[in-house]
Amino acid sequence: KAGVTQTPRYLIKTRGQQVTLSCSPISGHRSVSWYQQTPGQGLQFLFEYFSETQRNKGNFPGRFSGRQFSNSRSEMNVSTLELGDSALYLCASSLVGTGTSTDTQYFGPGTRLTVL
Amino acid sequence: AQSVTQLGSHVSVSEGALVLLRCNYSSSVPPYLFWYVQYPNQGLQLLLKYTSAATLVKGINGFEAEFKKSETSFHLTKPSAHMSDAAEYFCAVSVESGYSTLTFGKGTMLLVSP
């Protein structure tokens, strides 16, 4: 079974631009979560989608948004990029995202975003 | 709210030595606990997880962790380090609140010398 895939793997943008990252979950997984990883703040939860609905959201500004499609693929968008948005963005998928003992999150390789 | 503290941002061991990576958690309800490993330029790979079935949890690559409620700890161990174990290790917690959102520690970089 194929793992979580993320595209693109690397992105370079300039301040003020916007960016869209894509995540394809493991087949059969309906929950997709996004995390931001930076050297200073570590791994922080952005948001989680299930059945095309955002169910949970972390403490990030409204410039960070996402969506999920009917095939469970997800995209996240960052508008008006700032230098501090440079990070590794990780996507994780799980069966239903309910936090039960059998519902584990599996991570993709991440998208490395550099903002100049 | 839950939180995770990993003691030591860097741990150095010699090949063949015991690996001990420390993790303490804070949670108002019984937690699920996880250890993930991250190799350079890669995502997170699940090593093992505790879900209240057994306090000693065995994972992949010879790693294991023991849940100690009285100490609120979930330390990761491996009897004999290999060079290939050099990576960053993250402890994470989630609670059965309807969401599988993970709260991560800051990570511990494991360095293995020959």
Side-chain angles (χ1 to χ4, degrees), chain A residues 9 21 44 51 63 87 96 98 115:
Chain A
R9 291 293 311 276
L21 313 181
Q44 294 184 288
S51 290
R63 299 185 298 106
V96 290
T98 55
V115 182

Side-chain angles (χ1 to χ4, degrees), chain B:
Chain B
Q2 63 265 27
S3 66
V4 175
T5 302
Q6 290 184 241
L7 296 176
S9 59
H10 291 78
V11 169
S12 295
V13 300
S14 299
E15 194 172 21
L18 171 72
V19 175
L20 171 60
L21 304 181
R22 300 177 186 275
C23 171
N24 289 89
Y25 70 91
S26 171
S27 174
S28 58
V29 297
Y32 295 148
L33 293 159
F34 306 80
W35 276 99
Y36 284 87
V37 61
Q38 185 176 36
Y39 297 99
N41 298 316
Q42 294 188 27
L44 301 176
Q45 180 183 9
L46 179 68
L47 277 177
L48 51 80
K49 66 179 183 180
Y50 166 75
T51 58
S52 77
T55 57
L56 182 62
V57 183
K58 294 187 183 298
I60 62 171
N61 301 339
F63 285 94
E64 64 181 37
E66 185 173 9
F67 173 71
K68 292 187 177 180
K69 184 178 178 180
S70 61
E71 299 176 8
T72 61
S73 68
F74 190 57
H75 302 331
L76 182 71
T77 61
K78 181 174 180 178
S80 176
H82 293 172
M83 297 294 290
S84 60
D85 294 328
E88 191 159 22
Y89 292 79
F90 292 91
C91 182
V93 63
S94 73
V95 296
E96 192 174 350
S97 61
Y99 305 112
S100 57
T101 302
L102 294 169
T103 300
F104 286 91
K106 292 292 188 182
T108 298
M109 183 67 73
L110 177 65
L111 307 169
V112 183
S113 57

Side-chain angles (χ1 to χ4, degrees), chain A residues 9-52:
Chain A
R9 291 293 311 276
Y10 301 91
L11 265 178
I12 300 176
K13 293 286 187 179
T14 56
R15 279 181 299 174
Q17 287 187 310
Q18 75 167 19
V19 67
T20 299
L21 313 181
S22 181
C23 171
S24 293
I26 292 171
S27 178
H29 285 193
R30 296 166 60 193
S31 169
V32 174
S33 297
W34 289 89
Y35 294 83
Q36 181 195 64
Q37 185 178 22
T38 59
Q41 299 299 317
L43 281 152
Q44 294 184 288
F45 171 72
L46 279 156
F47 29 66
E48 185 250 355
Y49 285 87
F50 177 79
S51 290
E52 302 177 64

